[in-house]
Amino acid sequence: MTQTLSIKTSQKLNLSPLSMPNRLLLGPGPSNSHPDVLKAMNTSPVGHLDPTFLHLMDEIQSLLRYVWQTDNAMTIAVSGTGTAAMEATIANSVEPGDVVLIGVMGYFGNRLVDMAGRYGADVRSITKPWGQVFSLDEIKAAMETHRPRILALVHAETSTGARQPMEGVSELCEKYGTLLLIDTVTSLGGTPIYLDEWGVDLAYSCSQKGLGCPPGASPFTMSRKAMEKLLNRSTKVKNWYLDMNLLGKYWGSERVYHHTAPINMYYALREALRLIAEEGIENCWQRHQKNVEYLWESLESIGLKMHVEKQYRLPTLTTVCIPEGVDGKAVARKLLDEHNVEVGGGLGELAGKVWRVGLMGYNSRPESVDRLVSVLKEVLK
Amino acid sequence: MTQTLSIKTSQKLNLSPLSMPNRLLLGPGPSNSHPDVLKAMNTSPVGHLDPTFLHLMDEIQSLLRYVWQTDNAMTIAVSGTGTAAMEATIANSVEPGDVVLIGVMGYFGNRLVDMAGRYGADVRSITKPWGQVFSLDEIKAAMETHRPRILALVHAETSTGARQPMEGVSELCEKYGTLLLIDTVTSLGGTPIYLDEWGVDLAYSCSQKGLGCPPGASPFTMSRKAMEKLLNRSTKVKNWYLDMNLLGKYWGSERVYHHTAPINMYYALREALRLIAEEGIENCWQRHQKNVEYLWESLESIGLKMHVEKQYRLPTLTTVCIPEGVDGKAVARKLLDEHNVEVGGGLGELAGKVWRVGLMGYNSRPESVDRLVSVLKEVLK
């Protein structure tokens, strides 16, 4: 041991054991986790090359394919939160100079623009007012103009609660030799997704919304076509942590060490996926739809309006218009401080105009709706 | 809800609730966590902008400064494992064309070379046989030759168990206007580190070794000088998830949303750091040193030899020479399968030549040594 210099203690805190409030999380995520999921996470970790852990990784891969309805071999959980999985799709698909066409209908479309630019893409974008979605004709026109190498769409825009229909998009991509990349952060587990049927080449999501798991390990998938582009790159992926060439050797049969996985997060994710398989993914989607319809009716019954046109609303996340004269931020703060209920505020174009109400995963239950509406009524009166 | 196509169930698994073996983790990490840390992680998450969570982030920042002995304002936990924090130091400090001098004395020096290259650095390296460290004269000569913008050294080489002395290095860096970047993945919490006294500008670590926490949230720090380089960049950081310009606005007073933090991982990290503060960092270092000396004596008493010269050995991780004629991999597998004890194998130059034995965080206890030596004796006989 080298000589001990004197120890600075100015940053040393004397803390009590952790004590956090028990919130009902009805914002845009994280949502509350199923108690069994938390319990699984509380298991002592094994090593990241332990045969039992490698087996658990296989289970996660299979179940992610099931919930996403894909057979993509390269389907894994990235060791970070949803944004890391988002960056993984960009980092592994974009080479400098690639034309990337991005549909921006909210905050996360803009984030894709920023990210793709950092990886050297020639970014083109089309935009919609926040809360609306693109028609197939609009996408078609942009594809004809830009002939992109990659088309990136946000299936579920977490900032607006709008669901982008995917029907017909893959035919356009096929015509132009375009890879299709979609954001399913707020749709996975909560609303129908058929990655293979939709011809999706790259997708990402998170654990803490429709899957009902704490944040920290995030679904990523890429098709064989996307893998081919990766294998034929002339430059290394500009991100070591998220390089699927390397990660594929850890998740695949070679089992080459890449990084120390967040073991307990994988325990939790495995458990969350197990519970969804037990329920059946189609039942899980139906549960989300049924409960959100109950939410919409209940909110309308106390005079509130939804921001997004009904047919494009997500079952997982609803943007609720803040009535004129009401201080939305103050209401949200009161819900949190006085009632332990979290709802989210608006971002960007919708800042100050909407609350974002999530009914995701374990929280998609009639009791969540009843509690929210009851406390909201009280705070708004 | 869009029309339900038929559901593919080929990837649907019917699983039992999670059940993992209870291992004593004496490899290079993860190590076992303190039970209080696991308990904290098992707390229902709050939102990433919840005032109680923002307060907890402040606590983590303060305690990280304490264990690292630094006053750097920009001291945070990155939302990924140690490799993500490693990449964060490179991504935020390297601009294309920067000369980066890297000391390679094991696997993780090589990883730094690979990463820095991906971010456009003009990489120069000096090397040492695995298990040795650089003398100050060797570093000085390389600094004179290369005049680097950044000097990257591995303080604790996880692949070899060697500790690079840091005395005198900062004077060289000052002379050449060089930023000093160090890897403290296997040293933080287990062996003396004085970042400010050593003039370190960038450092990273992990949660799952000396801090005794599961992997998933990783310490990162940068000095004012490193921040200035970041603020004066002519190009955006080529990594959105790890961009400290953006992360600084979430961890700092502005509290601008960046990504959904892995809430429960931060609970665990806060608790692990709280326990270290309670013990006192200098006592924690001494405990690691005392227990590793007991390990070395015990291993020597059964005829085993250590790979690294005593004065450069880490207290957290020991490379033990595999005796001639012994199949090291088979022994490690037997320890795991028959005794639930994990030790690591060698990497790179040391593959097949050493076992890597960690005594880190909660596992740095005489009982860990006794159990290992007793089962090792049995397996080796």
Side-chain angles (χ1 to χ4, degrees):
Chain A
M1 195 161 112
T2 51
Q3 197 206 315
T4 300
L5 304 173
S6 67
I7 300 291
K8 292 190 286 187
T9 55
S10 57
Q11 301 282 346
K12 183 178 177 177
L13 304 177
N14 233 321
L15 301 178
S16 305
L18 185 78
S19 161
M20 298 301 285
N22 194 6
R23 311 286 203 204
L24 176 61
L25 300 174
L26 302 181
S31 59
N32 296 87
S33 307
H34 192 290
D36 288 0
V37 172
L38 282 178
K39 196 178 142 207
M41 195 168 54
N42 190 25
T43 306
S44 193
V46 299
H48 51 283
L49 292 169
D50 194 297
T52 60
F53 187 70
L54 299 176
H55 180 72
L56 178 137
M57 289 165 66
D58 289 342
E59 293 174 346
I60 287 176
Q61 290 193 279
S62 231
L63 289 172
L64 283 178
R65 292 186 194 111
Y66 167 63
V67 294
W68 250 334
Q69 290 289 292
T70 179
D71 288 326
N72 288 342
M74 193 63 196
T75 302
I76 68 168
V78 157
S79 298
T81 56
T83 305
M86 179 185 211
E87 187 139 3
T89 60
I90 295 289
N92 286 279
S93 64
V94 173
E95 277 187 286
D98 279 348
V99 174
V100 179
L101 174 63
I102 301 174
V104 177
M105 52 184 209
Y107 177 92
F108 292 93
N110 281 328
R111 183 179 289 189
L112 280 167
V113 167
D114 186 354
M115 267 187 194
R118 289 175 194 239
Y119 286 86
D122 176 355
V123 178
R124 320 285 173 93
S125 59
I126 47 174
T127 58
K128 272 294 204 189
W130 290 32
Q132 296 183 25
V133 300
F134 294 97
S135 70
L136 190 58
D137 280 344
E138 287 166 335
I139 297 172
K140 193 176 168 186
M143 291 286 282
E144 273 165 12
T145 308
H146 300 291
R147 312 271 168 131
R149 196 72 194 77
I150 298 162
L151 168 67
L153 295 174
V154 179
H155 178 233
E157 181 47 80
T158 315
S159 64
T160 70
R163 181 185 52 78
Q164 172 64 50
M166 297 305 302
E167 287 77 10
V169 175
S170 75
E171 287 78 356
L172 293 174
C173 289
E174 222 156 284
K175 185 171 168 192
Y176 295 107
T178 300
L179 293 179
L180 178 57
L181 185 164
I182 71 171
D183 176 325
T184 67
V185 166
T186 299
S187 47
L188 185 63
T191 189
I193 303 182
Y194 307 92
L195 286 194
D196 287 354
E197 285 289 336
W198 292 350
V200 174
D201 295 296
L202 294 130
Y204 57 91
S205 191
C206 72
S207 58
Q208 36 95 8
K209 301 191 203 285
L211 302 185
C213 172
S218 301
F220 168 95
T221 188
M222 67 198 291
S223 70
R224 187 183 302 217
K225 222 168 25 165
M227 277 304 294
E228 273 163 23
K229 184 172 193 306
L230 174 65
L231 294 171
N232 289 320
R233 286 177 73 100
S234 58
T235 56
K236 278 189 190 177
V237 171
K238 301 288 180 215
N239 190 315
W240 198 94
Y241 191 58
L242 302 173
D243 183 347
M244 292 300 149
N245 287 305
L246 305 175
L247 281 162
K249 289 187 183 133
Y250 175 45
W251 285 84
S253 55
E254 289 147 294
R255 302 300 187 184
V256 177
Y257 160 63
H258 178 258
H259 69 279
T260 302
I263 309 294
N264 300 62
M265 289 311 314
Y266 288 115
Y267 289 177
L269 181 58
R270 183 265 191 199
E271 209 58 6
L273 291 167
R274 178 183 77 77
L275 291 169
I276 291 180
E278 198 174 275
E279 180 176 6
I281 186 69
E282 65 278 38
N283 300 324
C284 194
W285 295 337
Q286 273 157 23
R287 171 168 59 82
H288 279 82
Q289 187 63 29
K290 202 174 130 196
N291 289 320
V292 85
E293 284 176 10
Y294 177 49
L295 173 73
W296 298 337
E297 282 159 28
S298 305
L299 290 173
E300 278 162 0
S301 79
I302 60 167
L304 293 169
K305 286 182 183 144
M306 313 308 131
H307 174 67
V308 175
E309 198 183 327
K310 196 163 184 180
Q311 62 173 319
Y312 299 122
R313 278 183 214 159
L314 286 168
T316 42
L317 186 77
T318 300
T319 38
V320 184
C321 302
I322 298 171
E324 226 164 294
V326 169
D327 178 346
K329 218 168 177 176
V331 168
R333 188 63 195 247
K334 254 193 171 170
L335 289 174
L336 190 73
D337 289 347
E338 294 173 15
H339 301 281
N340 272 319
V341 173
E342 182 180 81
V343 301
L347 290 172
E349 281 185 21
L350 298 181
K353 293 185 185 159
V354 299
W355 292 296
R356 288 184 296 157
V357 176
L359 283 183
M360 311 195 276
Y362 179 61
N363 281 353
S364 174
R365 282 173 294 155
E367 303 89 289
S368 305
V369 177
D370 292 338
R371 181 149 165 223
L372 173 69
V373 174
S374 123
V375 295
L376 197 52
K377 251 164 86 176
E378 198 178 318
V379 169
L380 283 176
K381 85 179 167 199
Chain B
M1 197 157 112
T2 50
Q3 197 205 314
T4 300
L5 305 172
S6 67
I7 300 291
K8 293 191 287 188
T9 55
S10 58
Q11 301 283 346
K12 183 178 177 177
L13 304 177
N14 232 320
L15 300 177
S16 304
L18 185 78
S19 160
M20 299 300 286
N22 192 6
R23 312 285 202 203
L24 176 61
L25 299 174
L26 302 180
S31 59
N32 296 86
S33 306
H34 192 290
D36 289 359
V37 172
L38 283 179
K39 197 178 140 208
M41 196 167 53
N42 190 24
T43 306
S44 193
V46 300
H48 51 283
L49 292 170
D50 194 298
T52 60
F53 187 69
L54 300 177
H55 180 71
L56 179 137
M57 290 165 67
D58 289 341
E59 293 174 345
I60 287 176
Q61 290 193 279
S62 228
L63 289 171
L64 283 178
R65 292 186 195 112
Y66 168 63
V67 294
W68 249 334
Q69 291 288 292
T70 181
D71 289 325
N72 287 341
M74 193 63 197
T75 303
I76 68 167
V78 157
S79 298
T81 58
T83 305
M86 181 186 210
E87 189 140 0
T89 60
I90 296 289
N92 286 279
S93 64
V94 173
E95 277 186 286
D98 280 347
V99 173
V100 179
L101 174 62
I102 301 174
V104 177
M105 53 183 208
Y107 177 93
F108 292 93
N110 281 330
R111 182 178 290 187
L112 280 167
V113 167
D114 186 353
M115 267 188 196
R118 289 173 193 240
Y119 286 87
D122 176 356
V123 178
R124 319 286 172 91
S125 60
I126 48 175
T127 58
K128 273 297 205 187
W130 291 31
Q132 296 182 25
V133 300
F134 294 98
S135 71
L136 190 58
D137 279 347
E138 287 166 335
I139 296 171
K140 192 177 168 185
M143 290 286 282
E144 271 166 13
T145 308
H146 301 291
R147 313 271 168 130
R149 196 70 193 79
I150 298 162
L151 168 66
L153 294 174
V154 180
H155 178 234
E157 183 45 84
T158 315
S159 65
T160 71
R163 180 186 51 77
Q164 172 64 49
M166 297 305 302
E167 288 77 11
V169 175
S170 74
E171 286 79 354
L172 293 173
C173 288
E174 222 156 284
K175 186 172 166 190
Y176 295 107
T178 301
L179 293 179
L180 178 56
L181 184 162
I182 71 171
D183 176 325
T184 67
V185 165
T186 299
S187 47
L188 185 62
T191 188
I193 303 182
Y194 307 93
L195 286 194
D196 287 354
E197 285 288 335
W198 292 350
V200 174
D201 295 296
L202 294 130
Y204 57 91
S205 191
C206 72
S207 58
Q208 36 95 7
K209 301 192 203 283
L211 302 186
C213 171
S218 301
F220 168 94
T221 188
M222 68 197 293
S223 69
R224 185 183 304 218
K225 220 165 31 164
M227 276 304 294
E228 271 162 25
K229 185 173 192 308
L230 174 63
L231 293 171
N232 289 320
R233 287 177 72 100
S234 57
T235 56
K236 277 187 190 179
V237 170
K238 301 287 180 214
N239 190 314
W240 198 94
Y241 191 57
L242 302 173
D243 182 346
M244 292 300 149
N245 287 306
L246 305 175
L247 281 162
K249 288 186 185 135
Y250 176 45
W251 286 84
S253 55
E254 288 146 295
R255 302 300 186 186
V256 178
Y257 161 64
H258 178 258
H259 69 280
T260 303
I263 308 293
N264 299 62
M265 289 311 313
Y266 287 115
Y267 288 177
L269 181 58
R270 185 265 193 198
E271 207 59 5
L273 290 167
R274 179 183 76 76
L275 291 169
I276 292 180
E278 196 174 276
E279 180 178 6
I281 187 68
E282 64 277 38
N283 300 324
C284 193
W285 295 339
Q286 273 157 23
R287 170 168 59 82
H288 279 82
Q289 186 63 28
K290 204 175 131 194
N291 289 321
V292 86
E293 284 176 9
Y294 177 51
L295 173 73
W296 299 338
E297 283 159 29
S298 305
L299 291 173
E300 277 162 1
S301 79
I302 61 168
L304 294 169
K305 285 183 184 141
M306 312 309 131
H307 174 67
V308 175
E309 198 183 326
K310 196 163 184 180
Q311 61 173 320
Y312 300 122
R313 278 182 214 156
L314 286 168
T316 40
L317 187 78
T318 300
T319 39
V320 184
C321 301
I322 298 170
E324 228 165 291
V326 169
D327 179 346
K329 220 170 174 173
V331 168
R333 188 64 196 245
K334 254 193 170 170
L335 289 175
L336 190 72
D337 288 347
E338 294 173 15
H339 302 281
N340 272 319
V341 173
E342 181 180 81
V343 301
L347 290 172
E349 280 185 21
L350 299 180
K353 293 184 183 157
V354 300
W355 292 297
R356 289 184 295 156
V357 176
L359 284 182
M360 309 195 279
Y362 179 62
N363 281 353
S364 174
R365 282 173 295 155
E367 303 89 288
S368 305
V369 177
D370 292 339
R371 181 149 166 222
L372 173 68
V373 174
S374 122
V375 296
L376 197 52
K377 253 163 86 174
E378 198 177 317
V379 170
L380 284 175
K381 82 177 168 201

